[in-house]
């Protein structure tokens, strides 16, 4: 029996319609200035190219402006300017800054926003939510259908190791561009969608390259109040076209303030901790000898979860220095009471930012309610321990593979040896176990 | 990032405290820094001798820089966040933190920071931060290899020293007690009661010097906020990041005065900050300013809408310039309008990134909206 859930979807684009109405049925050029073959040739969008980590000398990515006190980074400035521009052009369904917001009293500091316009007032659409991996369906809404005016800029790695900005660059379909677009129903100011390799129409699932792109965006923006989030299918993603969300909120999220307990350090320097005293159980990834190490550790963990049909959310915080991974309960097991409130605990809610559509809910919002809501989707302690162990196995196996490659490639390999590993040996898993005191003992 | 001009740094200190303040502070044995959140970049404006010795830097290398220069790869990000939030909320904080000396060696210290308020302004003038190195002590360890010897000798040393608090405070970089091995960095290091007491004493010492020497300049400082403030220092910090010319005006106050003016605005118009705060923007207009442009501005403010006008404005020296002015309402957490922002671009100026003037202005508006959005009235 297939599990379905009746939800009220959020409109993220002005071109999003009921899945029944298919724009492809109209023959030829659609005249809507979208991102499909009909309109792409000749299209131009601003292009921002970032410097890759290898080109930054010294320690990885310790940028001068990774702070709320340093000058506004250019990407930050570009994104905000473009967003404000679309705001003034009336592309958003409402002014999110006119929505009242407050911190719910309590020790966690959950945030609540009263936003009556966010959700559609119409018949809900059905969406299969018991499978984390589902193939891309061109008939359903996807981001190639958005209007070009909803796209703020293209975002890709630079060819020559320097940051560049081109206010008017042609959209080159062959180079598989990634873009940043607005979310027309924003949760907060600056709410955007990062769509990696948009024309490839990837389904909502993590791969190493795309995750690294998202991490670069967090770093380039250089603003600890700009975070990126990811929802897998089954963890309240609404569109099955690979995308990350991001927005600005100039206060720490409760999840960022939650205490953590260190669990282990991987051989490549990635430190993994777990949250405690927080309604949702999850892991925090930090460090890593290189940016790629950190990115790959998280990606591999996500790939493991999605391959094993475990829904999950990811939050990239602190300018890319801290990444939270939160596996969720399978939806079939979530109480109907929760589903009725229509507050879907996706990454932002789990991080502590709740958007409420009813005044009553906003006024009665309490830390207790918020905690209970989030605790519903958390894995149980036992299940979390199981999943945690499996994630580490997945991360360490990948590490072994990488080292085997390293050994067989021999001299001339441009990748520097992993630091602090001592002698490289087959039993990599063991190294991870003995590294620190409180880690899991794997079989 | 270029450090703020030394002139501003000097000014931060000298306008507040008499000349003798520096000498008095230099006589204190404690490690501490004084920072100014109202200067863009929140730089250090004073560093004690003890601090310089502890960190291995010279005064020139530290004054004008932000405190993050002492952080490094193993500094706990969550702790950094706690400090950041304390600054933003204008309150004190006490936390253990891993810092790095000039030679790259890491060390744990107890970081205690407290705000200093200006009596007249009612807002934070400076932050005083005290750093007490945390000496290693017996740690709970399951893996007994190689560390016991070091730990035991450290705790022995500490017992000997504990009677002499001055020596502890003046720990020099050469002391191997504080040097941390790779494994030890991982463990969060808690300060002892003695160390916390040292921090408390140091803070008291510094504050009493500052309070005393502010009396003679007439611009008193105190530990608690006194009276209302126009724009909070946390907003100052966020707004200080924006390098363009802009002002914030408060439409709820009589005659819609300026409540914040960026450094770039002051440079563009030639005025000093105290000449513009509290004034209505009309001082920028002159004989040849088009009244219809003024009317358009007034109407937009009344309609609570954004607008762009090209208006002739005058600097303090009476010279005129064409101002591409963009005005926009800015809301706070209540969802209601808290301020209007005016962003000025001198016609003909060029942006190094190739952004159009309009786009530059909009990005200023965006940054301000993010900053004001979470502030409460």
């Amino acid at each position: 029996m297939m599990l379905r859930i009746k939800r009220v979807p959020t409109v993220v684009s002005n071109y999003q319609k009921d899945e029944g109405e298919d724009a492809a049925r109209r023959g030829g050029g659609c005249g809507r200035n979208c991102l499909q073959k009909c309109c792409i040739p000749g299209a131009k969008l601003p292009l921002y190219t970032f410097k890759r980590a290898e080109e930054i000398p010294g320690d990885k990515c310790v940028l001068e402006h990774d702070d709320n006190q340093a000058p506004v980074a250019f990407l930050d400035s570009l994104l905000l300017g473009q967003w404000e521009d679309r705001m003034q052009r009336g592309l958003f369904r409402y002014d999110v800054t006119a929505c009242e917001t407050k911190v719910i009293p309590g020790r966690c500091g959950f945030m609540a926003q009263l936003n009556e316009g966010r959700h559609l007032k119409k018949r809900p659409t059905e969406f299969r939510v018991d499978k984390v991996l589902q193939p891309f369906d061109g008939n359903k809404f996807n981001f190639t259908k958005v209007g070009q005016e909803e796209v703020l800029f293209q975002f890709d790695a630079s060819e020559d190791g320097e940051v560049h900005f081109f206010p008017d660059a042609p959209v080159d379909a062959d180079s598989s561009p990634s873009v940043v677009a607005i979310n027309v129903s924003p949760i907060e100011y600056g709410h955007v969608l990062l769509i990696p390799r948009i024309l490839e129409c990837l389904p909502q699932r993590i791969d190493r390259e795309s995750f690294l792109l998202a991490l670069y965006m967090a770093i380039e923006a250089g603003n600890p109040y700009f975070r990126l989030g990811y929802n897998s299918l089954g963890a309240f993603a609404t569109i099955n076209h690979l995308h990350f969300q991001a927005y600005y909120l100039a206060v720490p999220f409760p999840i960022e303030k939650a205490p953590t307990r260190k669990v282990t350090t991987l051989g490549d320097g990635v430190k993994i901790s777990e949250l405690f005293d927080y309604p949702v159980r999850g892991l925090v990834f930090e460090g890593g000898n290189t940016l790629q190490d950190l990115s790959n550790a998280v990606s591999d963990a996500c790939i493991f979860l999605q391959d094993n049909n475990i829904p999950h959310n990811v939050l990239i915080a602190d300018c890319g220095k801290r990444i939270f991974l939160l596996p969720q309960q399978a939806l079939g097991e979530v109480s109907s009471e929760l589903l009725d409130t229509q507050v879907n605990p996706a990454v932002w809610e789990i991080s502590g930012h709740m958007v409420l559509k009813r005044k009553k809910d906003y006024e009665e919002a309490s830390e207790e309610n918020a905690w209970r809501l989030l605790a519903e989707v958390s894995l149980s302690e036992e299940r979390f321990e199981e999943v945690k162990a499996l994630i580490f196995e997945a991360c360490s196996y990948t590490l072994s593979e990488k080292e085997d490659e390293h050994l067989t490639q021999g001299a001339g390999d441009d990748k520097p040896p992993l630091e602090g590993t001592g002698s490289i040996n087959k039993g990599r898993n063991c190294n991870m176990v003995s590294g620190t005191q409180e880690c899991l003992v794997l079989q | 990032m270029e450090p703020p001009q030394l002139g501003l740094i000097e000014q931060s200190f000298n306008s507040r405290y008499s000349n003798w303040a520096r000498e008095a502070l230099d006589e204190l044995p404690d490690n501490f820094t004084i920072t100014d959140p109202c200067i863009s970049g929140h730089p250090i404006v004073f560093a004690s001798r003890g601090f310089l010795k502890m960190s291995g830097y010279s005064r020139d290398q530290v004054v004008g820089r932000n405190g993050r220069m002492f952080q490094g790869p193993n500094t706990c990000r969550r702790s950094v966040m706690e400090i950041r939030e304390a600054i933003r909320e204008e309150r004190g904080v006490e936390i253990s933190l891993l810092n790095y000396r000039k030679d790259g060696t890491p060390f744990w210290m107890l970081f205690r920071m407290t705000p200093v308020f200006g009596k007249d302004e009612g807002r934070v003038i400076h932050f005083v931060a005290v750093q007490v190195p945390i000496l290693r002590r017996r740690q709970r360890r399951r893996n007994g290899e190689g560390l016991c010897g070091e730990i035991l000798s450290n705790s022995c040393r500490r017992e000997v020293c504990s009677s002499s608090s001055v020596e502890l405070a003046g720990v020099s970089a050469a002391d191997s007690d504080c040097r941390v091995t790779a494994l030890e960095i991982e463990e969060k290091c808690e300060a002892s009661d003695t160390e916390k007491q040292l921090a408390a004493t140091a803070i008291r010492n510094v504050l009493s010097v500052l309070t005393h020497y502010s009396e003679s300049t007439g611009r008193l400082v105190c530990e608690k906020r006194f009276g209302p403030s126009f724009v909070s220092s946390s907003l100052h910090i966020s707004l200080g990041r924006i390098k363009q010319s802009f002002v914030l005006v408060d439409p709820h106050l009589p005659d819609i005065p300026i409540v914040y003016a960026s450094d770039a605005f002051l440079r563009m118009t030639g005025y000093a900050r105290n000449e513009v705060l509290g004034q209505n923007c009309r001082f920028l207009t002159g004989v040849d300013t088009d009244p219809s442009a003024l009317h358009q501005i007034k109407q937009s403010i009344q309609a609570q809408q954004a607008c762009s006008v090209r208006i002739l404005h005058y600097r303090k020296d009476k010279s005129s310039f064409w101002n591409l002015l963009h005005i926009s309402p800015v809301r706070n957490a209540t969802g209601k309008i808290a301020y209007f922002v005016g962003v000025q671009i001198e016609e003909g100026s060029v942006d190094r990134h190739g952004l159009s003037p309009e786009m530059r202005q909009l990005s200023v508006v965006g940054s301000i909206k993010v900053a004001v959005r979470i502030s409460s009235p």
Side-chain angles (χ1 to χ4, degrees):
Chain A
M1 188 192 87
M2 212 157 51
L3 283 168
R4 289 176 183 279
I5 179 173
K6 290 186 177 10
R7 298 185 49 244
V8 183
T10 316
V11 167
V12 303
S13 163
N14 291 314
Y15 297 89
Q16 192 173 349
K17 301 180 198 304
D18 272 335
E19 277 131 27
E21 298 164 49
D22 185 356
R25 277 201 228 115
R26 303 179 215 163
C30 66
R32 276 186 304 125
N33 210 29
C34 68
L35 292 168
Q36 299 188 316
K37 290 196 200 67
C38 42
C39 304
I40 277 256
K44 283 196 178 163
L45 289 169
L47 166 65
Y48 180 100
T49 61
F50 57 87
K51 202 155 64 165
R52 264 185 277 247
E54 302 91 68
E55 283 115 24
I56 299 175
D59 206 329
K60 65 168 173 72
C61 297
V62 181
L63 295 180
E64 288 245 304
H65 44 256
D66 65 344
D67 195 303
N68 65 335
Q69 292 163 125
V72 175
F74 178 60
L75 180 66
D76 204 25
S77 182
L78 174 69
L79 198 155
L80 288 168
Q82 294 281 351
W83 211 89
E84 177 65 20
D85 170 69
R86 301 309 189 272
M87 176 85 172
Q88 294 194 9
R89 278 158 58 174
L91 292 180
F92 293 99
R93 292 176 58 239
Y94 49 81
D95 178 358
V96 67
T97 65
C99 298
E100 201 186 321
T101 186
K102 67 181 179 185
V103 175
I104 298 172
R107 65 198 169 82
C108 292
F110 290 113
M111 276 106 47
Q113 184 192 104
L114 176 57
N115 189 330
E116 285 151 319
R118 181 149 208 267
H119 293 103
L120 285 180
K121 300 177 185 64
K122 50 176 271 194
R123 251 191 65 200
T125 331
E126 292 195 356
F127 189 81
R128 185 174 176 174
V129 290
D130 60 340
K131 284 186 68 84
V132 175
L133 293 176
Q134 296 178 35
F136 183 84
D137 179 352
N139 289 329
K140 295 207 153 87
F141 174 76
N142 68 75
F143 297 111
T144 60
K145 301 186 181 185
V146 309
Q148 286 173 26
E149 71 279 7
E150 293 178 352
V151 179
L152 301 185
F153 52 89
Q154 304 173 68
F155 182 72
D156 279 303
S158 117
E159 310 277 303
D160 66 356
E162 290 298 320
V163 170
H164 292 292
F165 174 66
F166 307 96
D168 222 7
V171 179
D172 177 12
D174 295 330
S175 67
S176 193
S178 304
V179 300
V180 174
I182 54 172
N183 181 334
V184 307
S185 306
I187 289 180
E188 260 308 327
Y189 194 87
H191 195 169
V192 295
L193 307 162
L194 169 68
I195 305 148
R197 295 174 281 147
I198 182 172
L199 302 176
E200 290 182 39
C201 291
L202 305 167
Q204 184 75 343
R205 67 165 68 171
I206 296 279
D207 64 84
R208 281 185 166 195
E209 197 185 324
S210 305
F211 192 81
L212 185 58
L213 186 75
L215 201 50
Y216 269 119
M217 182 155 199
I219 293 169
E220 283 295 297
N223 187 333
Y225 299 127
F226 179 74
R227 299 124 175 135
L228 280 98
Y230 171 84
N231 300 316
S232 77
L233 297 179
F236 303 103
T238 53
I239 295 162
N240 189 14
H241 182 179
L242 182 58
H243 65 284
F244 295 82
Q245 302 182 40
Y247 62 81
Y248 294 83
L249 190 63
V251 287
F253 276 17
I255 200 176
E256 291 171 316
K257 297 193 286 194
T260 58
R261 233 188 317 245
K262 185 141 154 268
V263 180
T264 190
T265 303
L266 301 180
D268 56 7
V270 176
K271 286 175 272 214
I272 306 182
S273 315
E274 65 181 351
L275 295 168
F276 73 93
D277 199 19
Y278 195 72
V280 185
R281 291 178 182 86
L283 298 174
V284 190
F285 292 72
E286 299 172 88
N289 297 330
T290 67
L291 186 66
Q292 278 75 5
D293 289 331
L294 178 60
S295 184
N296 291 345
V298 186
S299 311
D300 293 346
C302 293
I303 290 167
F304 165 77
L305 292 174
Q306 66 203 17
D307 287 346
N308 287 276
N309 210 30
I310 301 172
H312 52 280
N313 311 93
V314 184
L315 178 75
I316 301 176
D318 199 4
C319 304
K321 293 198 177 71
R322 295 179 85 205
I323 306 170
F324 298 81
L325 173 61
L326 304 127
Q328 279 203 27
Q329 284 270 36
L331 252 186
E333 287 147 53
V334 172
S335 80
S336 60
E337 189 193 315
L338 174 117
L339 299 177
D340 286 343
T341 63
Q342 293 179 339
V343 175
N344 304 308
V347 66
W348 308 118
E349 289 77 10
I350 290 183
S351 300
H353 189 196
M354 324 274 173
V355 176
L356 303 166
K357 53 173 269 188
R358 293 186 306 195
K359 201 162 167 67
K360 181 172 170 305
D361 295 333
Y362 180 78
E363 256 140 36
E364 293 170 9
S366 71
E367 176 157 298
E368 213 186 294
N369 288 346
W371 189 287
R372 216 160 7 116
L373 181 93
L374 297 182
E376 276 279 345
V377 295
S378 173
L379 291 186
S380 69
E381 199 171 330
E382 284 148 20
R383 181 72 178 128
F384 182 68
E385 290 300 311
E386 272 172 35
V387 170
K388 201 170 59 170
L390 294 169
I391 287 179
F392 293 154
E393 226 175 277
C395 288
S396 69
Y397 278 145
T398 319
L399 211 53
S400 304
E401 276 166 31
K402 197 159 63 159
E403 297 213 338
D404 285 350
E405 272 171 38
H406 193 63
L407 286 171
T408 54
Q409 270 164 15
D413 190 343
D414 58 346
K415 188 182 185 325
L418 299 169
E419 283 174 26
T421 55
S423 61
I424 297 172
N425 53 45
K426 274 279 190 176
R428 255 349 234 111
N429 309 6
C430 305
N431 222 16
M432 188 179 74
V433 171
S434 66
T436 62
Q437 289 79 37
E438 297 129 273
C439 59
L440 249 16
V441 176
L442 303 179
Q443 282 151 354
Chain B
M1 177 181 86
E2 50 181 75
Q5 292 158 358
L6 276 178
L8 277 176
I9 309 283
E10 295 286 314
Q11 177 72 355
S12 165
F13 208 77
N14 298 345
S15 65
R16 242 339 122 170
Y17 315 112
S18 79
N19 294 336
W20 302 113
R22 279 187 202 275
E23 281 192 29
L25 290 174
D26 269 338
E27 274 166 32
L28 294 174
D30 314 290
N31 310 333
F32 63 91
T33 52
I34 302 178
T35 59
D36 187 340
C38 295
I39 299 180
S40 138
H42 194 181
I44 293 171
V45 298
F46 185 91
S48 77
R49 284 179 308 115
F51 179 86
L52 297 175
K53 199 168 172 211
M54 174 185 78
S55 63
Y57 289 92
S58 70
R59 194 154 265 168
D60 292 333
Q61 293 170 330
V62 162
V63 169
R65 304 280 305 273
N66 179 280
R68 87 178 82 86
M69 69 179 278
F70 307 107
Q71 295 163 17
N74 283 309
T75 304
C76 172
R77 300 302 309 169
R78 215 173 133 259
S79 303
V80 170
M81 185 190 76
E82 280 192 51
I83 296 172
R84 182 165 67 217
E85 287 312 303
I87 292 171
R88 207 178 56 81
E89 292 173 11
E90 299 178 322
R91 57 175 167 79
V93 66
E94 182 176 73
I95 193 169
S96 313
L97 195 69
L98 188 78
N99 261 11
Y100 289 74
R101 297 187 191 89
K102 182 174 177 180
D103 63 8
T105 56
F107 66 100
W108 279 98
M109 51 94 170
L110 178 66
F111 177 88
R112 178 164 169 161
M113 184 187 75
T114 195
V116 175
F117 294 90
K119 258 204 173 126
D120 303 323
E121 300 90 330
R123 62 174 168 79
V124 176
I125 304 298
H126 291 127
F127 280 96
V128 173
V130 150
Q131 300 83 9
V132 177
I134 296 176
L135 300 187
R136 306 303 304 188
R137 62 190 59 79
R138 206 181 307 269
Q139 291 263 351
R140 184 174 57 91
R141 294 208 180 275
R142 293 178 210 153
N143 168 7
E145 300 167 13
L147 293 169
C148 285
E150 193 176 13
I151 292 170
L152 284 175
S153 75
N154 282 349
S155 38
C156 288
R157 183 93 70 105
R158 201 183 135 260
E159 277 152 26
V160 167
C161 279
S162 64
S163 55
S164 161
S165 51
V166 176
E167 278 172 80
L168 274 177
V171 168
S172 76
D175 277 356
S176 58
D177 288 346
C178 306
R179 204 149 350 127
V180 183
T181 65
L183 273 173
E184 288 178 323
I185 292 172
E186 309 288 342
E187 302 277 329
K188 171 89 170 175
C189 202
E190 287 311 319
S192 68
D193 285 336
T194 317
E195 283 151 356
K196 289 185 185 174
Q197 248 165 37
L198 281 172
T201 311
I203 288 261
R204 268 201 303 278
N205 290 346
V206 177
L207 284 179
S208 78
V209 168
L210 294 181
T211 328
H212 177 74
Y213 288 95
S214 71
E215 283 165 9
S216 45
T217 59
R219 303 184 69 196
L220 295 164
V221 298
C222 52
E223 285 171 60
K224 299 263 185 298
R225 186 195 303 280
F226 202 81
S229 52
F230 280 133
V231 169
S232 70
S233 76
S234 69
L235 206 45
H236 256 275
I237 292 173
S238 325
L239 298 176
R241 300 180 65 213
I242 304 169
K243 298 299 161 199
Q244 287 80 5
S245 166
F246 70 94
V247 294
L248 283 190
V249 301
D250 189 336
H252 310 294
L253 295 177
D255 207 25
I256 311 184
I258 294 175
V259 294
Y260 182 92
S262 72
D263 291 341
F265 173 82
L266 302 176
R267 277 195 300 272
M268 182 190 279
T269 58
Y271 289 97
R273 187 159 273 118
N274 61 353
E275 291 175 310
V276 310
L277 284 182
Q279 304 298 320
N280 178 286
C281 290
R282 71 173 69 83
F283 67 84
L284 291 169
T285 62
V287 285
D288 289 331
T289 303
D290 185 355
S292 63
L294 287 174
H295 185 68
Q296 198 184 340
I297 294 171
K298 193 168 168 203
Q299 276 200 313
S300 298
I301 293 186
Q302 273 170 0
Q304 302 188 339
Q305 279 170 3
C307 80
S308 288
V309 294
R310 180 173 171 266
I311 186 169
L312 192 68
H313 270 164
Y314 293 78
R315 299 189 188 88
K316 183 174 180 181
D317 66 359
K318 308 282 190 261
S319 62
S320 66
F321 63 98
W322 280 105
N323 188 354
L324 302 173
L325 177 66
H326 178 86
I327 294 178
S328 183
V330 178
R331 296 167 187 272
N332 64 14
T334 62
K336 304 194 173 56
I337 295 179
Y339 308 106
F340 275 84
V341 58
V343 188
Q344 303 80 17
I345 290 199
E346 207 171 324
E347 194 173 59
S349 63
V350 176
D351 173 70
R352 66 192 170 108
H353 290 291
L355 285 181
S356 67
E358 294 76 36
M359 206 40 70
R360 274 182 274 159
Q361 285 171 322
L362 294 177
S363 56
V364 173
V365 172
S367 296
I368 293 174
K369 284 189 173 181
V370 171
V372 176
R373 167 77 174 135
I374 43 79
S375 63
S376 307

